Amino acid sequence: GLNAIEGLSCYRSQGAFYLFPNLTGLGLNSTQFAARLLEEKLVAVVPGIAFGADDYMRLSYATSDSVIEKGLERLAEFCQTLRS
């Protein structure tokens, strides 16, 4: 689902319960992105700068499919506002 969102790209996980999507195409650094996503869509991610990668965010998918689907919808809506 992440790769379907314009401006994001992400490799498939190889066994972990988190992903590290690249957000270079969205015009915000990871701290700005995470703060606005939480404030505007109530979706929490960890800014990639915490891992030395300011063009990325870290998110966990250790939850139910329905929560993941809702999070992806909100994330897609948020990313769309950045590209408008």
Side-chain angles (χ1 to χ4, degrees):
L2 290 169
N3 287 318
I5 300 172
E6 191 172 346
L8 293 181
S9 62
C10 187
Y11 291 108
R12 288 187 174 268
S13 171
Q14 297 298 313
F17 57 89
Y18 58 87
L19 296 169
F20 209 56
N22 182 295
L23 50 94
T24 303
L26 295 171
L28 297 174
N29 67 39
S30 64
T31 304
Q32 294 166 330
F33 185 91
R36 285 189 53 191
L37 180 61
L38 180 60
E39 182 178 320
E40 296 175 28
K41 293 294 181 178
L42 304 177
V43 174
V45 299
V46 178
I49 193 69
F51 305 95
D54 205 19
D55 292 332
Y56 291 81
M57 65 174 153
R58 182 175 173 172
L59 53 89
S60 172
Y61 58 90
T63 188
S64 68
D65 288 347
S66 64
V67 170
I68 291 170
E69 289 170 11
K70 184 181 281 189
L72 280 172
E73 288 174 17
R74 291 178 183 183
L75 181 59
E77 291 168 2
F78 176 70
C79 290
Q80 181 61 39
T81 67
L82 297 177
R83 303 202 46 85
S84 323

